[in-house]
Amino acid sequence: MDFKQGAYKEAVDYFKQKINLPTKRWNDLEGAMHTRAFTVAGAMRDDILSDFRNAVDRAIEKGDSLQDFRNNFYDIAKKWRVADQSFDEKMEKPKYGAWRSKVIYQTNMATAAAAAQERQARAMPDVFTHAKYICQMLPGSREEHKAWNGTVLPIKHPWWQKHSPPNGFGCLCEKEYISKYEMDAGDEKVTKAPTTANDTNKIGENWDYSIGDADMGLIYADKLKKDQKKWGQASTQGLYQYAEEKMPASAPVLPAIDGGKFYTEDLNEFTNNFQSLLETELKNMNGFQKYENGVSVIAKLNGVDYPLYINPRMVGKHFLTHSESDDEWRPERTAFVRHFIETLKNPGAVYIEFLKNKGTNQAAINVDFASVFQGDKKNSAVKLVFRALNGRLQLWTAFNSSNAKIKMKGTKVK
């Protein structure tokens, strides 16, 4: 699928919001999470993954063809082969490079196009009311997808929740949006769903979701109805196993920390003090860098190095306020600043969540750090939340004690 330059602004926007996540295997990340993550299975080094990210980004934004991308792939592969012996051995196989480059190119282009079309159609819900399953009917097309060709159903029909194309690696099927005017004129007619809504036998592993629903934060709407404060967590496979906010039994209870006199209701004062503290406490961490408005460090999560960014001013608004209202100041929360820093340096548990923001309906990947600290009467739990923002992991907010809602076996937590 070739893009013409500038043809899909929505596709460019969709792709730019992704965070780079190194993965060892193609199924390390659950399907819907791919709407917020860019992965190339086996590309574990950040620089190699970033090179692939730039090549795909160029293909989507500038309209590079498969051959253009393939040329970039072989350039990147030279670096990858030096870094990874197993990949070097694969590249020795005839046609492996041609096959692998096609999979990466086709998968990202097809999903970006699907997301762009969904965004365009959902922006005009009164106009586009139905959708049609289009199979290219090529010799290599899956027989089951050929059988679905021509299916016309309302956009909100539950069948689309699992069967919106693409439906597997190499699948070239598309979802054509039909206006109410075409339906009223009789140009298209509603058909029966070819399978039950939850029958995913003919869909590839990790492809049984609607890119549009995931992009708009609608995947777990049923769970949202049960719990209006939180979107249902998408449990993940392999490398990124969701921990259900339960601290492992082996997690240590860290020594008590004196928070010190950090109280303030002045955001500027907090920002300056926090910046200085971060520079002092984190300077020996791997990859430490300081900027005018924050710091970054490298943390090893599940064996993968991730750059983590901390903007003291942005975090300060969460530390100093009890709610989203800026006039409800809670300066006593700053007593936990040192707990948060120690949690970053030595977390008791790290896990990944795929959540939806109730206010904006936007889905996001969070990486949570949690620890429990010893107290005189009750142990205190704290949690840091790094969110994938603008293609990187950035400290978003933090919680302490009962607000952390962390369960720990055999440990009494507020």
Side-chain angles (χ1 to χ4, degrees):
M1 179 179 296
D2 293 341
F3 283 20
K4 294 181 180 179
Q5 184 170 351
Y8 274 124
K9 177 183 181 300
E10 292 84 358
V12 173
D13 293 343
Y14 164 79
F15 192 73
K16 284 187 179 299
Q17 72 187 353
K18 292 190 176 192
I19 185 77
N20 290 356
L21 284 183
T23 52
K24 292 181 180 178
R25 298 171 296 274
W26 68 269
N27 59 354
D28 276 345
L29 205 63
E30 193 171 69
M33 293 182 77
H34 285 280
T35 61
R36 291 295 180 267
F38 174 74
T39 66
V40 174
M44 301 296 290
R45 267 178 39 178
D46 183 65
D47 58 340
I48 295 173
L49 188 59
S50 294
D51 287 346
F52 276 119
R53 169 69 176 263
N54 292 335
V56 174
D57 185 63
R58 177 184 168 82
I60 294 174
E61 189 168 5
K62 303 297 183 182
D64 281 359
S65 66
L66 171 58
Q67 188 57 53
D68 294 328
F69 178 80
R70 185 165 282 158
N71 293 337
N72 288 329
F73 172 87
Y74 283 113
D75 288 339
I76 301 167
K78 292 178 183 178
K79 183 189 299 185
W80 194 354
R81 295 180 74 159
V82 173
D84 185 345
Q85 183 178 354
S86 63
F87 178 73
D88 180 56
E89 293 173 354
K90 292 177 181 178
M91 286 294 290
E92 290 295 327
K93 298 178 180 179
K95 300 182 179 180
Y96 176 82
W99 168 80
R100 188 69 191 277
S101 58
K102 182 178 180 179
V103 169
I104 297 172
Y105 176 86
Q106 196 172 71
T107 299
N108 283 283
M109 298 296 276
T111 53
Q117 291 161 358
E118 289 268 6
R119 287 187 175 194
Q120 292 170 349
R122 290 175 188 237
M124 297 182 285
D126 295 333
V127 176
F128 294 103
T129 58
H130 291 71
K132 183 177 183 178
Y133 195 100
I134 302 294
C135 176
Q136 300 300 322
M137 307 301 282
L138 300 172
S141 297
R142 296 164 174 83
E143 291 300 319
E144 54 272 15
H145 295 183
K146 290 180 180 180
W148 298 345
N149 184 54
T151 298
V152 176
L153 297 169
I155 284 179
K156 294 184 178 180
H157 193 284
W159 191 77
W160 294 119
Q161 294 175 8
K162 298 287 187 179
H163 297 80
S164 289
N167 283 309
F169 289 108
C171 175
L172 299 178
C173 297
E174 297 180 355
K175 188 176 179 182
E176 180 182 294
Y177 294 88
I178 304 171
S179 72
K180 65 181 298 295
Y181 309 108
E182 293 173 287
M183 296 300 297
D184 292 345
D187 296 337
E188 299 284 356
K189 294 183 179 180
V190 174
T191 66
K192 291 183 178 180
T195 68
T196 61
N198 292 319
D199 182 0
T200 60
N201 290 325
K202 305 302 183 181
I203 299 176
E205 181 183 347
N206 269 341
W207 288 88
D208 57 343
Y209 69 99
S210 163
I211 292 174
D213 285 351
D215 185 31
M216 298 303 294
L218 302 175
I219 284 288
Y220 287 84
D222 57 334
K223 293 185 178 181
L224 181 63
K225 294 176 183 177
K226 298 177 182 178
D227 185 355
Q228 289 295 324
K229 295 181 180 179
K230 195 173 187 180
W231 194 32
Q233 292 84 4
S235 61
T236 58
Q237 302 173 357
L239 183 61
Y240 301 104
Q241 182 59 48
Y242 174 62
E244 296 181 351
E245 295 194 28
K246 292 182 180 178
M247 297 285 286
S250 59
V253 178
L254 300 178
I257 292 180
D258 180 5
K261 296 180 179 180
F262 213 84
Y263 301 146
T264 178
E265 293 188 13
D266 187 303
L267 182 57
N268 290 329
E269 181 182 352
F270 174 89
T271 300
N272 293 333
N273 289 343
F274 193 25
Q275 174 80 16
S276 297
L277 191 60
L278 289 170
E279 292 178 8
T280 300
E281 295 291 331
L282 304 182
K283 63 182 180 181
N284 293 324
M285 283 193 70
N286 184 31
F288 172 80
Q289 292 188 53
K290 65 178 181 179
Y291 310 94
E292 183 178 351
N293 60 345
V295 304
S296 66
V297 296
I298 301 294
K300 188 173 288 295
L301 312 178
N302 297 315
V304 178
D305 288 338
Y306 288 89
L308 307 176
Y309 297 82
I310 306 172
N311 183 319
R313 187 174 187 85
M314 186 184 77
V315 177
K317 291 182 68 65
H318 291 274
F319 279 3
L320 293 175
T321 58
H322 181 64
S323 67
E324 295 181 359
S325 174
D326 285 347
D327 58 5
E328 192 173 354
W329 293 96
R330 293 292 300 274
E332 68 275 10
R333 295 189 67 196
T334 60
F336 285 88
V337 165
R338 295 183 182 276
H339 296 75
F340 295 134
I341 290 178
E342 191 60 32
T343 298
L344 176 61
K345 294 163 63 176
N346 300 294
V350 177
Y351 49 90
I352 291 179
E353 299 177 307
F354 187 39
L355 302 178
K356 175 184 140 176
N357 182 296
K358 177 186 173 185
T360 64
N361 271 351
Q362 292 300 304
I365 286 179
N366 290 345
V367 179
D368 298 347
F369 293 67
S371 291
V372 174
F373 293 85
Q374 188 176 29
D376 293 336
K377 296 181 179 179
K378 294 181 180 180
N379 293 330
S380 175
V382 302
K383 183 168 75 171
L384 298 173
V385 180
F386 283 85
R387 175 159 295 175
L389 295 171
N390 299 319
R392 68 184 189 183
L393 290 174
Q394 183 166 318
L395 183 60
W396 179 250
T397 190
F399 303 94
N400 66 279
S401 299
S402 60
N403 290 329
K405 297 181 180 178
I406 299 173
K407 301 175 183 179
M408 186 169 180
K409 185 177 180 180
T411 303
K412 190 173 183 181
V413 180
K414 290 183 182 179

